Structure formats: C-alpha cells, structure tokens
Amino acid sequence: MAEKAASVAIVGGGIGGLTLALALRERGIGAEVYERSAELREIGAAVALSANGSRVLAGLGLRDDLAACSAVPTELVYRHWRSGQRVAAHPVGAAYEERFGGPYFGVHRADLQRILADACGKVHLGRRVTGLAADGGKYRLEFADGTTETADVVVGADGVHSTVRAWVDDAPLARYSGASGFRGLVPVEQLPSLPDPGAIQFWMGPGGHVLHYAIGDGSVVNFLAVLDEPDTWESESWTEDISRDQIDAAFEGWHPAVREMVAATTLLQRWALFGQYPLNRWHRGGVVLLGDAAHAMLPHHGQGANQTIEDAVTLAECLARDSRETALKRYEKLRRPRTRAVQRSSWVANDLLHLPDGLAADARDLALGQIDETLGWIHSHVC
Ligand SMILES: Cc1cc2nc3c(=O)[nH]c(=O)nc-3n(C[C@H](O)[C@H](O)[C@H](O)COP(=O)(O)OP(=O)(O)OC[C@H]3O[C@@H](n4cnc5c(N)ncnc54)[C@H](O)[C@@H]3O)c2cc1C
C-alpha cells in the first residue's frame, strides 16, 4: 500500500496556510509554513466568519480566542438603497448558531491572523518561494534567498496571485467582473443615520450595493461598497487611487447612512473585483492548491476565507486517511464542485444585488426572506 505523506510544505501563511498547518499537526502530520513576508500582515480589513468556517475553527480549539475579539451580528438585514426600508431580515446571534451549528463572527483580519499564527507556533517568515521541482518521489522548493527544502506534499496556499498554481494548471488567471468597490473601517459614532449598527446589512440599489458589519467590540463598522463600474479594467494593478470627491459622488442619492459611511473612509482607493476561471485541476503529483490559489471568488457571499478554511480541514483529513495520491484526488473531488457552486453563486449575486427598483427587485426581495434557500446551503455545510 502507498505510504501516507510524512511531510507537508505549505507555501503561504495566510488564513488557508495557517489553518491547514493547525489541522495537519492535530492529526500528527508534520507541516512547515513558508511565508514570503517578513511579518504576518493582514490583507484587507476584516472578515466575516460564517458557521461553515467558524465551526471548523472552533473544532481546532480557537472558539474562545475568536469570540473574545469578534462581534456577533444581531441580524442579517437587506435594505432598500434610498429609503432604507427593511426588505428582508433574519435573526443571527443564538438563533443562527442553533440553526447552522456555529457562530457568525465579525473579526478584524489582524486578530484572526494572530490567533491562527499563535496556535500554529513556528512559521518560516521571509521565505518567498520562487521555484519548484520534482525530486525523486518528493518535491523541492526553491526560495528567493537561494535555500531549498524538500517535502512529500507541497500545498500552494499562496493566494490569488499564486506562484505554485503555474505548476498545477495553466488556466487564465482572473476575469474582471465589471464591478469595483470602496472599503473602509468606520467608528459607529461617525454614522448617526445608520439603523441597526450591530447588524450585518446589505443596502441594494440600481447598479450597486453596500455590505457592512461590526467587528471587534462592535464600535467599528467594516464596509464594502460596490458599483458596476468601470466597464473594463485595463490597469495591471487591482486598485486605483481616487479622490474624496469621486467617492462622495459615487453614492449620490443613496440613504444618508450609506453616504456617511463611504464619506468617512480613510482608504481613498477603488478595488477592481476579479473572479477566477475554474481550474482544470487542483493537483499534479504531490503539489496541490488550496484557497484563493485554487478558487478566488467575488466577495458577495463573504465566502473566500470560509471556503479556504473548509479546504484546509478537508485536505488535512484526506492526508491523514489515505496515501498521498488517493488523498489529493479525494480532496479535489470533495472540494471542486462545492467551491465552484459558491463561486458561481457569488457571481450571480452581483446582478441580483444591483437590480433597479421594479418587478425583478420585488421578486428578489421575496426570495431573500427565505434564508434556507438563499444562504442555507452555504452556511450549513459540514466538511
Ligand atoms: C477586503 C477583503 C474582504 C474580504 N472579506 C471576506 C469575508 O468577509 N469573508 C470571507 O470568507 N472572505 C473574505 N475575503 C476573501 C478572503 O480574504 C480570501 O479568500 C482569503 O484570505 C484567502 O486565503 P488564502 O490563505 O487562500 O490566501 P491569502 O490570505 O491571500 O494568503 C496567501 C499568503 O501567501 C503568501 N505568499 C504569496 N506568494 C508567496 C510565495 N511565492 N512564497 C511564500 N509565500 C507567498 C502571501 O504573502 C499571503 O500571506 C475578503 C477579501 C478581501 C480582500
């Protein structure tokens, strides 16, 4: 019988790489994490952990640490862009946890990274992977500093611009969605017009939407404000600098709470929203992809990190159970359809959230009243 993988090298110390290292070590498999940055830095501002992700992290013993620095939304509310009228609402808090088996946490990304890194122990910082080669039955990683390491399995948890991905698949990298976003962290006291600041809320309007939720002790709101513009994105960078006048003008006519929120941001940038084409395969030999490297998705279901966490625990379980080859095949079989469905649904969500007032928007609002049909299949998933 083929042997189980004895050593795993994880490229990338983001949410996926760190969660995988923890899950592997818990199962008695040696894992080393190689991160290019000299220190673990947060990407973006905050993250919403839904039950499908928080349940996994709780299983790794992190629930209390996470709860100590997370806000639990009171409700999930959908609102009309101009009037602010509630078009659908669902309780979150205890009712959500009872329904989906895990809490909903709004957490600052720096806190999540710190909790994962502390639990992981050693992460090799300042180790940028530049090359990869087969070496007998193993794989040799080459680093920018001229050093090398070998392992039975190499995991590309190196994010949307993955270096490891080129070894596995030659799919085109990313596709501009036609939408871009503004983001920010705003103290609640600067949002006098905001109803229900403790809720996770979508404001839906013609050609755009705003999503926000409180993080930490609930005194700060994290928001993402999306518009269907520009039509094309030519720049190589995924961000462009904008002026305060541009951001103020972008949501003219929207409810005062939305205008206060975007006006208060200190991040004067526009982020292009890209989705990734599905890959033809997720592994080649003993090299395998995880998280954004495999399935970067639009943020409209708040699932990029949550799907990455699901990947990590599934891969760890497969490697603990089977030989390397069987484990990687099984992992891909379990994870590809699920992540592709969430990817596709996040893409469709862009159009649904941006409908102009009218019959189609009325039908959407009715459907949003049924959380089991809209989000239940994502949040209730057990790995
Ligand atoms: C602003 C923002 C808000 C978001 N909000 C949510 C949310 O609410 N809920 C949610 O589920 N998802 C959210 N997402 C998506 C989520 O952040 C990503 O899906 C998730 O971080 C992917 O994790 P990852 O580990 O695959 O990649 P990353 O977190 O990108 O980590 C990749 C790591 O690999 C390292 N690396 C890259 N190349 C190399 C190399 N060659 N050698 C060594 N190391 C390397 C990088 O430095 C990085 O640390 C959000 C994303 C953004 C940008």
Side-chain angles (χ1 to χ4, degrees):
M1 198 178 101
E3 300 237 326
K4 289 185 194 167
S7 61
V8 179
I10 301 170
V11 183
I15 294 168
L18 296 175
T19 306
L20 175 65
L22 263 180
L24 284 170
R25 287 174 194 171
E26 203 186 42
R27 290 164 174 79
I29 298 176
E32 301 295 333
V33 181
Y34 301 101
E35 165 59 44
R36 70 177 168 190
S37 310
E39 55 179 339
L40 288 177
R41 288 170 305 152
E42 71 275 24
I43 306 162
V47 69
L49 293 172
S50 48
N52 50 313
S54 68
R55 216 185 300 113
V56 170
L57 297 180
L60 293 169
L62 305 180
R63 182 181 169 125
D64 290 349
D65 290 341
L66 281 170
C69 57
S70 298
V72 176
T74 49
E75 283 180 287
L76 166 63
V77 181
Y78 294 90
R79 289 185 184 274
H80 185 266
W81 64 286
R82 187 165 46 201
S83 68
Q85 186 196 344
R86 290 160 70 106
V87 299
H90 306 279
V92 185
Y96 175 88
E97 183 158 358
E98 196 171 315
R99 164 73 184 83
F100 294 110
Y104 211 131
F105 281 150
V107 58
H108 198 289
R109 205 173 273 256
D111 288 328
L112 177 58
Q113 289 272 61
R114 174 183 49 77
I115 289 168
L116 287 169
D118 286 352
C120 256
K122 186 156 178 58
V123 174
H124 303 278
L125 297 172
R127 303 292 300 278
R128 183 162 68 87
V129 170
T130 51
L132 183 56
D135 187 359
K138 293 184 175 251
Y139 293 88
R140 189 175 69 249
L141 284 174
E142 295 155 0
F143 295 87
D145 60 9
T147 57
T148 61
E149 303 282 352
T150 52
D152 296 318
V153 172
V154 169
V155 183
D158 50 348
V160 65
H161 302 295
S162 171
T163 302
V164 177
R165 184 169 47 214
W167 175 271
V168 173
D169 191 277
D170 57 4
L173 288 193
R175 169 177 163 208
Y176 173 58
S177 65
S180 63
F182 312 103
R183 303 204 303 246
L185 288 174
V186 182
V188 171
E189 66 204 23
Q190 289 183 32
L191 302 169
S193 308
L194 180 65
D196 304 324
I200 179 164
Q201 306 200 69
F202 285 88
W203 299 72
M204 305 172 295
H209 79 277
V210 176
L211 161 69
H212 63 84
Y213 52 87
I215 62 167
D217 64 3
S219 62
V220 170
V221 162
N222 171 66
F223 80 85
L224 171 66
V226 177
L227 288 175
D228 286 332
E229 59 179 43
D231 289 342
T232 56
W233 189 273
E234 307 298 346
S235 163
E236 279 192 12
S237 166
W238 287 24
T239 59
E240 78 174 14
D241 293 338
I242 50 161
S243 67
R244 190 159 295 281
D245 286 349
Q246 276 175 294
I247 200 169
D248 286 348
F251 285 86
E252 216 173 286
W254 286 59
H255 188 274
V258 168
R259 297 209 313 277
E260 284 166 8
M261 207 176 285
V262 294
T265 187
T266 53
L267 290 174
L268 294 180
Q269 280 189 317
R270 178 197 285 276
W271 273 263
L273 299 183
F274 280 81
Q276 198 184 329
Y277 289 98
L279 302 186
N280 296 315
R281 54 185 179 196
W282 281 25
H283 79 280
R284 184 154 78 94
V287 181
V288 62
L289 301 174
L290 169 149
D292 277 8
H295 52 64
M297 56 184 67
L298 295 183
H300 306 321
H301 283 325
Q303 280 297 311
N306 289 294
Q307 291 305 309
T308 299
I309 291 166
E310 285 188 14
D311 287 350
V313 75
T314 306
L315 179 56
E317 188 56 31
C318 290
L319 286 168
R321 279 174 46 163
D322 290 313
S323 69
R324 181 176 80 184
E325 210 174 295
T326 310
L328 299 190
K329 268 194 195 142
R330 186 172 154 73
Y331 161 70
E332 182 172 332
K333 193 169 166 203
L334 287 169
R335 295 303 302 158
R336 261 179 75 177
R338 160 101 174 137
T339 52
R340 196 175 285 195
V342 179
Q343 254 181 331
R344 208 179 294 125
S345 180
S346 313
W347 200 279
V348 172
N350 192 82
D351 295 341
L352 284 176
L353 292 169
H354 296 186
L355 289 170
D357 293 344
L359 285 178
D362 293 347
R364 172 204 61 202
D365 295 349
L366 214 58
L368 287 172
Q370 310 297 318
I371 194 170
D372 276 349
E373 277 83 44
T374 51
L375 292 176
W377 66 278
I378 300 177
H379 293 207
S380 60
H381 183 82
V382 179
C383 296

Short mmCIF file of all heavy atoms in Angstrom, two decimals, residues 66-118:
data_model
loop_
_atom_site.label_atom_id
_atom_site.label_comp_id
_atom_site.label_asym_id
_atom_site.label_seq_id
_atom_site.Cartn_x
_atom_site.Cartn_y
_atom_site.Cartn_z
N LEU A 66 -11.39 33.52 19.42
CA LEU A 66 -12.10 34.29 18.39
C LEU A 66 -13.24 35.09 19.00
O LEU A 66 -13.41 36.28 18.68
CB LEU A 66 -12.67 33.35 17.33
CG LEU A 66 -11.67 32.85 16.29
CD1 LEU A 66 -12.29 31.74 15.44
CD2 LEU A 66 -11.20 34.00 15.39
N ALA A 67 -14.00 34.44 19.88
CA ALA A 67 -15.15 35.12 20.49
C ALA A 67 -14.70 36.37 21.24
O ALA A 67 -15.40 37.39 21.26
CB ALA A 67 -15.89 34.17 21.43
N ALA A 68 -13.50 36.30 21.83
CA ALA A 68 -13.01 37.42 22.64
C ALA A 68 -12.74 38.67 21.80
O ALA A 68 -12.71 39.77 22.34
CB ALA A 68 -11.74 37.00 23.38
N CYS A 69 -12.54 38.50 20.49
CA CYS A 69 -12.25 39.71 19.69
C CYS A 69 -13.19 39.84 18.48
O CYS A 69 -12.84 40.48 17.49
CB CYS A 69 -10.78 39.72 19.25
SG CYS A 69 -10.30 38.28 18.34
N SER A 70 -14.36 39.21 18.56
CA SER A 70 -15.31 39.27 17.44
C SER A 70 -16.62 39.90 17.87
O SER A 70 -17.02 39.78 19.03
CB SER A 70 -15.63 37.87 16.92
OG SER A 70 -14.49 37.23 16.42
N ALA A 71 -17.30 40.51 16.89
CA ALA A 71 -18.68 40.95 17.11
C ALA A 71 -19.60 39.91 16.50
O ALA A 71 -19.31 39.39 15.42
CB ALA A 71 -18.90 42.30 16.45
N VAL A 72 -20.69 39.59 17.20
CA VAL A 72 -21.70 38.68 16.63
C VAL A 72 -22.85 39.55 16.14
O VAL A 72 -23.45 40.27 16.93
CB VAL A 72 -22.22 37.69 17.70
CG1 VAL A 72 -23.33 36.82 17.12
CG2 VAL A 72 -21.07 36.82 18.22
N PRO A 73 -23.14 39.52 14.83
CA PRO A 73 -24.22 40.39 14.33
C PRO A 73 -25.56 40.03 14.99
O PRO A 73 -25.81 38.86 15.28
CB PRO A 73 -24.28 40.07 12.83
CG PRO A 73 -23.06 39.30 12.51
CD PRO A 73 -22.56 38.68 13.77
N THR A 74 -26.36 41.06 15.20
CA THR A 74 -27.68 40.83 15.79
C THR A 74 -28.62 40.21 14.75
O THR A 74 -29.41 39.33 15.06
CB THR A 74 -28.29 42.16 16.25
OG1 THR A 74 -28.15 43.11 15.17
CG2 THR A 74 -27.57 42.69 17.48
N GLU A 75 -28.52 40.72 13.52
CA GLU A 75 -29.43 40.28 12.45
C GLU A 75 -28.71 40.35 11.12
O GLU A 75 -27.71 41.06 10.98
CB GLU A 75 -30.61 41.26 12.32
CG GLU A 75 -31.69 41.19 13.33
CD GLU A 75 -32.74 42.24 13.00
OE1 GLU A 75 -32.46 43.44 13.21
OE2 GLU A 75 -33.81 41.88 12.50
N LEU A 76 -29.27 39.67 10.13
CA LEU A 76 -28.88 39.87 8.73
C LEU A 76 -30.03 40.63 8.09
O LEU A 76 -31.17 40.13 8.06
CB LEU A 76 -28.68 38.52 8.04
CG LEU A 76 -28.59 38.52 6.52
CD1 LEU A 76 -27.37 39.31 6.03
CD2 LEU A 76 -28.51 37.08 5.99
N VAL A 77 -29.76 41.86 7.63
CA VAL A 77 -30.84 42.72 7.14
C VAL A 77 -30.55 43.14 5.70
O VAL A 77 -29.40 43.49 5.37
CB VAL A 77 -30.95 43.99 8.03
CG1 VAL A 77 -32.09 44.89 7.54
CG2 VAL A 77 -31.16 43.63 9.49
N TYR A 78 -31.57 43.11 4.85
CA TYR A 78 -31.47 43.64 3.48
C TYR A 78 -32.32 44.90 3.40
O TYR A 78 -33.48 44.89 3.85
CB TYR A 78 -31.98 42.60 2.47
CG TYR A 78 -31.12 41.36 2.42
CD1 TYR A 78 -31.38 40.27 3.24
CD2 TYR A 78 -30.04 41.28 1.53
CE1 TYR A 78 -30.59 39.12 3.20
CE2 TYR A 78 -29.25 40.14 1.49
CZ TYR A 78 -29.53 39.07 2.32
OH TYR A 78 -28.74 37.95 2.27
N ARG A 79 -31.74 45.97 2.85
CA ARG A 79 -32.45 47.25 2.84
C ARG A 79 -32.52 47.86 1.45
O ARG A 79 -31.65 47.61 0.61
CB ARG A 79 -31.72 48.26 3.75
CG ARG A 79 -31.84 47.96 5.21
CD ARG A 79 -31.19 49.04 6.06
NE ARG A 79 -31.24 48.69 7.46
CZ ARG A 79 -32.25 48.94 8.28
NH1 ARG A 79 -33.31 49.60 7.83
NH2 ARG A 79 -32.21 48.55 9.54
N HIS A 80 -33.54 48.70 1.27
CA HIS A 80 -33.69 49.47 0.02
C HIS A 80 -32.64 50.58 0.01
O HIS A 80 -32.43 51.24 1.03
CB HIS A 80 -35.09 50.06 -0.04
CG HIS A 80 -35.38 50.77 -1.33
ND1 HIS A 80 -35.20 52.12 -1.48
CD2 HIS A 80 -35.80 50.30 -2.53
CE1 HIS A 80 -35.53 52.48 -2.72
NE2 HIS A 80 -35.89 51.39 -3.38
N TRP A 81 -32.01 50.76 -1.11
CA TRP A 81 -30.87 51.67 -1.21
C TRP A 81 -31.17 53.12 -0.83
O TRP A 81 -30.33 53.81 -0.25
CB TRP A 81 -30.33 51.64 -2.65
CG TRP A 81 -31.31 52.15 -3.69
CD1 TRP A 81 -32.41 51.50 -4.16
CD2 TRP A 81 -31.26 53.39 -4.38
NE1 TRP A 81 -33.05 52.25 -5.11
CE2 TRP A 81 -32.36 53.42 -5.26
CE3 TRP A 81 -30.40 54.49 -4.34
CZ2 TRP A 81 -32.62 54.50 -6.10
CZ3 TRP A 81 -30.66 55.56 -5.19
CH2 TRP A 81 -31.76 55.57 -6.04
N ARG A 82 -32.39 53.60 -1.16
CA ARG A 82 -32.66 55.02 -0.93
C ARG A 82 -33.49 55.26 0.33
O ARG A 82 -33.13 56.08 1.17
CB ARG A 82 -33.38 55.63 -2.13
CG ARG A 82 -33.53 57.14 -1.99
CD ARG A 82 -33.91 57.82 -3.27
NE ARG A 82 -34.99 57.12 -3.95
CZ ARG A 82 -35.24 57.26 -5.24
NH1 ARG A 82 -34.50 58.04 -5.97
NH2 ARG A 82 -36.24 56.61 -5.80
N SER A 83 -34.54 54.46 0.49
CA SER A 83 -35.43 54.70 1.64
C SER A 83 -34.86 54.07 2.92
O SER A 83 -35.22 54.47 4.02
CB SER A 83 -36.81 54.10 1.36
OG SER A 83 -36.72 52.69 1.33
N GLY A 84 -34.03 53.06 2.75
CA GLY A 84 -33.53 52.34 3.93
C GLY A 84 -34.54 51.32 4.47
O GLY A 84 -34.29 50.67 5.48
N GLN A 85 -35.65 51.17 3.76
CA GLN A 85 -36.69 50.23 4.23
C GLN A 85 -36.12 48.81 4.32
O GLN A 85 -35.37 48.38 3.43
CB GLN A 85 -37.85 50.26 3.23
CG GLN A 85 -39.04 49.45 3.66
CD GLN A 85 -39.99 49.19 2.50
OE1 GLN A 85 -39.92 49.86 1.46
NE2 GLN A 85 -40.86 48.22 2.67
N ARG A 86 -36.49 48.09 5.38
CA ARG A 86 -36.04 46.69 5.53
C ARG A 86 -36.87 45.83 4.58
O ARG A 86 -38.08 45.74 4.73
CB ARG A 86 -36.27 46.20 6.96
CG ARG A 86 -35.36 46.84 7.99
CD ARG A 86 -35.95 46.71 9.39
NE ARG A 86 -35.93 45.33 9.87
CZ ARG A 86 -35.09 44.89 10.79
NH1 ARG A 86 -34.18 45.69 11.32
NH2 ARG A 86 -35.15 43.66 11.21
N VAL A 87 -36.20 45.17 3.64
CA VAL A 87 -36.96 44.33 2.70
C VAL A 87 -36.93 42.86 3.12
O VAL A 87 -37.77 42.08 2.71
CB VAL A 87 -36.50 44.50 1.24
CG1 VAL A 87 -36.70 45.92 0.77
CG2 VAL A 87 -35.05 44.10 1.05
N ALA A 88 -35.93 42.48 3.91
CA ALA A 88 -35.88 41.12 4.46
C ALA A 88 -34.94 41.15 5.66
O ALA A 88 -33.99 41.94 5.68
CB ALA A 88 -35.37 40.11 3.43
N ALA A 89 -35.21 40.29 6.65
CA ALA A 89 -34.33 40.25 7.83
C ALA A 89 -34.40 38.87 8.47
O ALA A 89 -35.43 38.20 8.42
CB ALA A 89 -34.76 41.31 8.84
N HIS A 90 -33.26 38.46 9.00
CA HIS A 90 -33.17 37.17 9.69
C HIS A 90 -32.39 37.36 10.97
O HIS A 90 -31.35 38.03 10.96
CB HIS A 90 -32.44 36.14 8.82
CG HIS A 90 -33.03 36.01 7.46
ND1 HIS A 90 -34.13 35.24 7.20
CD2 HIS A 90 -32.68 36.59 6.27
CE1 HIS A 90 -34.44 35.34 5.93
NE2 HIS A 90 -33.58 36.15 5.34
N PRO A 91 -32.83 36.75 12.07
CA PRO A 91 -32.04 36.87 13.30
C PRO A 91 -30.71 36.16 13.13
O PRO A 91 -30.62 35.14 12.44
CB PRO A 91 -32.91 36.17 14.35
CG PRO A 91 -33.89 35.35 13.60
CD PRO A 91 -34.02 35.93 12.23
N VAL A 92 -29.65 36.68 13.73
CA VAL A 92 -28.37 35.97 13.71
C VAL A 92 -28.15 35.48 15.15
O VAL A 92 -28.92 34.68 15.64
CB VAL A 92 -27.23 36.84 13.15
CG1 VAL A 92 -25.94 36.03 13.04
CG2 VAL A 92 -27.59 37.31 11.73
N GLY A 93 -27.15 35.94 15.86
CA GLY A 93 -26.95 35.58 17.27
C GLY A 93 -27.19 34.11 17.56
O GLY A 93 -26.77 33.23 16.80
N ALA A 94 -27.90 33.84 18.66
CA ALA A 94 -28.09 32.46 19.11
C ALA A 94 -28.94 31.66 18.13
O ALA A 94 -28.69 30.46 17.92
CB ALA A 94 -28.76 32.48 20.49
N ALA A 95 -29.93 32.30 17.49
CA ALA A 95 -30.80 31.58 16.55
C ALA A 95 -29.99 31.05 15.37
O ALA A 95 -30.17 29.92 14.91
CB ALA A 95 -31.90 32.51 16.05
N TYR A 96 -29.06 31.88 14.90
CA TYR A 96 -28.21 31.46 13.76
C TYR A 96 -27.36 30.27 14.17
O TYR A 96 -27.25 29.28 13.44
CB TYR A 96 -27.34 32.64 13.33
CG TYR A 96 -26.32 32.30 12.25
CD1 TYR A 96 -26.66 32.38 10.90
CD2 TYR A 96 -25.04 31.87 12.59
CE1 TYR A 96 -25.73 32.06 9.91
CE2 TYR A 96 -24.11 31.55 11.62
CZ TYR A 96 -24.46 31.65 10.28
OH TYR A 96 -23.55 31.32 9.31
N GLU A 97 -26.75 30.37 15.36
CA GLU A 97 -25.86 29.29 15.80
C GLU A 97 -26.64 27.98 15.99
O GLU A 97 -26.15 26.91 15.64
CB GLU A 97 -25.13 29.68 17.10
CG GLU A 97 -24.17 28.60 17.53
CD GLU A 97 -23.07 29.09 18.46
OE1 GLU A 97 -23.02 30.29 18.77
OE2 GLU A 97 -22.26 28.24 18.86
N GLU A 98 -27.85 28.11 16.49
CA GLU A 98 -28.66 26.90 16.67
C GLU A 98 -29.00 26.29 15.31
O GLU A 98 -28.95 25.08 15.12
CB GLU A 98 -29.94 27.29 17.40
CG GLU A 98 -30.66 26.10 17.97
CD GLU A 98 -31.80 26.55 18.87
OE1 GLU A 98 -31.59 27.47 19.70
OE2 GLU A 98 -32.90 26.02 18.69
N ARG A 99 -29.31 27.15 14.35
CA ARG A 99 -29.71 26.65 13.02
C ARG A 99 -28.52 26.06 12.25
O ARG A 99 -28.64 25.03 11.60
CB ARG A 99 -30.34 27.83 12.24
CG ARG A 99 -30.49 27.65 10.75
CD ARG A 99 -31.61 26.67 10.40
NE ARG A 99 -31.68 26.43 8.98
CZ ARG A 99 -30.93 25.57 8.32
NH1 ARG A 99 -30.02 24.86 8.96
NH2 ARG A 99 -31.08 25.39 7.01
N PHE A 100 -27.34 26.73 12.34
CA PHE A 100 -26.22 26.33 11.48
C PHE A 100 -25.05 25.67 12.22
O PHE A 100 -24.06 25.28 11.61
CB PHE A 100 -25.71 27.53 10.67
CG PHE A 100 -26.73 28.04 9.68
CD1 PHE A 100 -27.35 29.26 9.86
CD2 PHE A 100 -27.07 27.28 8.58
CE1 PHE A 100 -28.30 29.72 8.96
CE2 PHE A 100 -28.02 27.72 7.67
CZ PHE A 100 -28.64 28.94 7.86
N GLY A 101 -25.15 25.57 13.53
CA GLY A 101 -24.14 24.82 14.27
C GLY A 101 -22.83 25.54 14.51
O GLY A 101 -21.83 24.92 14.89
N GLY A 102 -22.80 26.84 14.27
CA GLY A 102 -21.59 27.61 14.54
C GLY A 102 -21.94 29.08 14.57
O GLY A 102 -22.96 29.49 14.01
N PRO A 103 -21.12 29.91 15.25
CA PRO A 103 -21.45 31.34 15.34
C PRO A 103 -21.11 32.09 14.06
O PRO A 103 -20.36 31.59 13.21
CB PRO A 103 -20.55 31.82 16.47
CG PRO A 103 -19.39 30.87 16.48
CD PRO A 103 -19.91 29.55 15.99
N TYR A 104 -21.66 33.29 13.94
CA TYR A 104 -21.28 34.25 12.89
C TYR A 104 -20.40 35.27 13.60
O TYR A 104 -20.83 35.89 14.57
CB TYR A 104 -22.55 34.92 12.36
CG TYR A 104 -22.49 35.32 10.91
CD1 TYR A 104 -23.53 34.98 10.03
CD2 TYR A 104 -21.42 36.04 10.40
CE1 TYR A 104 -23.50 35.34 8.70
CE2 TYR A 104 -21.38 36.39 9.07
CZ TYR A 104 -22.42 36.03 8.23
OH TYR A 104 -22.38 36.39 6.91
N PHE A 105 -19.15 35.43 13.15
CA PHE A 105 -18.22 36.34 13.80
C PHE A 105 -17.75 37.42 12.83
O PHE A 105 -17.31 37.10 11.72
CB PHE A 105 -16.97 35.59 14.27
CG PHE A 105 -17.11 34.81 15.55
CD1 PHE A 105 -16.35 33.66 15.75
CD2 PHE A 105 -17.95 35.23 16.57
CE1 PHE A 105 -16.45 32.93 16.94
CE2 PHE A 105 -18.06 34.51 17.76
CZ PHE A 105 -17.31 33.37 17.94
N GLY A 106 -17.80 38.68 13.26
CA GLY A 106 -17.14 39.76 12.51
C GLY A 106 -15.83 40.04 13.21
O GLY A 106 -15.81 40.43 14.38
N VAL A 107 -14.71 39.81 12.53
CA VAL A 107 -13.42 39.89 13.21
C VAL A 107 -12.42 40.69 12.38
O VAL A 107 -12.43 40.62 11.14
CB VAL A 107 -12.88 38.46 13.53
CG1 VAL A 107 -12.73 37.60 12.29
CG2 VAL A 107 -11.58 38.50 14.30
N HIS A 108 -11.59 41.47 13.05
CA HIS A 108 -10.53 42.18 12.34
C HIS A 108 -9.55 41.14 11.83
O HIS A 108 -9.21 40.17 12.54
CB HIS A 108 -9.81 43.16 13.27
CG HIS A 108 -9.03 44.20 12.53
ND1 HIS A 108 -7.89 43.90 11.84
CD2 HIS A 108 -9.26 45.52 12.33
CE1 HIS A 108 -7.43 45.00 11.26
NE2 HIS A 108 -8.25 45.99 11.53
N ARG A 109 -9.10 41.32 10.61
CA ARG A 109 -8.23 40.32 10.00
C ARG A 109 -6.92 40.14 10.77
O ARG A 109 -6.39 39.04 10.86
CB ARG A 109 -7.94 40.75 8.56
CG ARG A 109 -7.60 39.64 7.66
CD ARG A 109 -7.52 40.21 6.28
NE ARG A 109 -8.83 40.21 5.69
CZ ARG A 109 -9.19 39.34 4.77
NH1 ARG A 109 -8.35 38.45 4.34
NH2 ARG A 109 -10.40 39.37 4.26
N ALA A 110 -6.43 41.23 11.33
CA ALA A 110 -5.18 41.14 12.10
C ALA A 110 -5.38 40.21 13.30
O ALA A 110 -4.48 39.44 13.66
CB ALA A 110 -4.75 42.52 12.58
N ASP A 111 -6.57 40.26 13.92
CA ASP A 111 -6.84 39.40 15.08
C ASP A 111 -6.92 37.93 14.64
O ASP A 111 -6.38 37.05 15.32
CB ASP A 111 -8.15 39.82 15.76
CG ASP A 111 -7.99 41.14 16.51
OD1 ASP A 111 -6.88 41.40 17.02
OD2 ASP A 111 -8.96 41.90 16.58
N LEU A 112 -7.60 37.69 13.51
CA LEU A 112 -7.71 36.31 13.03
C LEU A 112 -6.32 35.74 12.71
O LEU A 112 -5.98 34.61 13.10
CB LEU A 112 -8.62 36.27 11.79
CG LEU A 112 -8.79 34.92 11.11
CD1 LEU A 112 -9.33 33.86 12.07
CD2 LEU A 112 -9.74 35.04 9.90
N GLN A 113 -5.50 36.53 12.01
CA GLN A 113 -4.14 36.08 11.66
C GLN A 113 -3.34 35.78 12.92
O GLN A 113 -2.63 34.79 13.00
CB GLN A 113 -3.40 37.17 10.87
CG GLN A 113 -3.87 37.41 9.47
CD GLN A 113 -3.18 36.50 8.47
OE1 GLN A 113 -3.29 35.31 8.58
NE2 GLN A 113 -2.49 37.05 7.51
N ARG A 114 -3.45 36.65 13.91
CA ARG A 114 -2.68 36.49 15.15
C ARG A 114 -3.10 35.21 15.88
O ARG A 114 -2.26 34.43 16.32
CB ARG A 114 -2.89 37.72 16.05
CG ARG A 114 -2.26 37.61 17.44
CD ARG A 114 -2.57 38.83 18.30
NE ARG A 114 -3.97 39.22 18.35
CZ ARG A 114 -4.91 38.61 19.06
NH1 ARG A 114 -4.61 37.55 19.79
NH2 ARG A 114 -6.17 39.03 19.05
N ILE A 115 -4.42 34.98 15.96
CA ILE A 115 -4.91 33.79 16.68
C ILE A 115 -4.43 32.52 15.98
O ILE A 115 -3.95 31.57 16.61
CB ILE A 115 -6.45 33.84 16.78
CG1 ILE A 115 -6.86 34.94 17.76
CG2 ILE A 115 -7.03 32.50 17.18
CD1 ILE A 115 -8.32 35.29 17.73
N LEU A 116 -4.53 32.52 14.65
CA LEU A 116 -4.08 31.33 13.90
C LEU A 116 -2.57 31.14 14.05
O LEU A 116 -2.10 30.02 14.28
CB LEU A 116 -4.43 31.48 12.41
CG LEU A 116 -5.92 31.33 12.04
CD1 LEU A 116 -6.16 31.76 10.60
CD2 LEU A 116 -6.38 29.88 12.23
N ALA A 117 -1.82 32.23 13.93
CA ALA A 117 -0.36 32.12 13.98
C ALA A 117 0.10 31.68 15.38
O ALA A 117 1.00 30.84 15.51
CB ALA A 117 0.29 33.45 13.61
N ASP A 118 -0.53 32.22 16.43
CA ASP A 118 -0.15 31.82 17.79
C ASP A 118 -0.39 30.33 17.99
O ASP A 118 0.41 29.62 18.60
CB ASP A 118 -0.94 32.61 18.84
CG ASP A 118 -0.45 34.05 18.95
OD1 ASP A 118 0.58 34.36 18.32
OD2 ASP A 118 -1.12 34.86 19.62
#
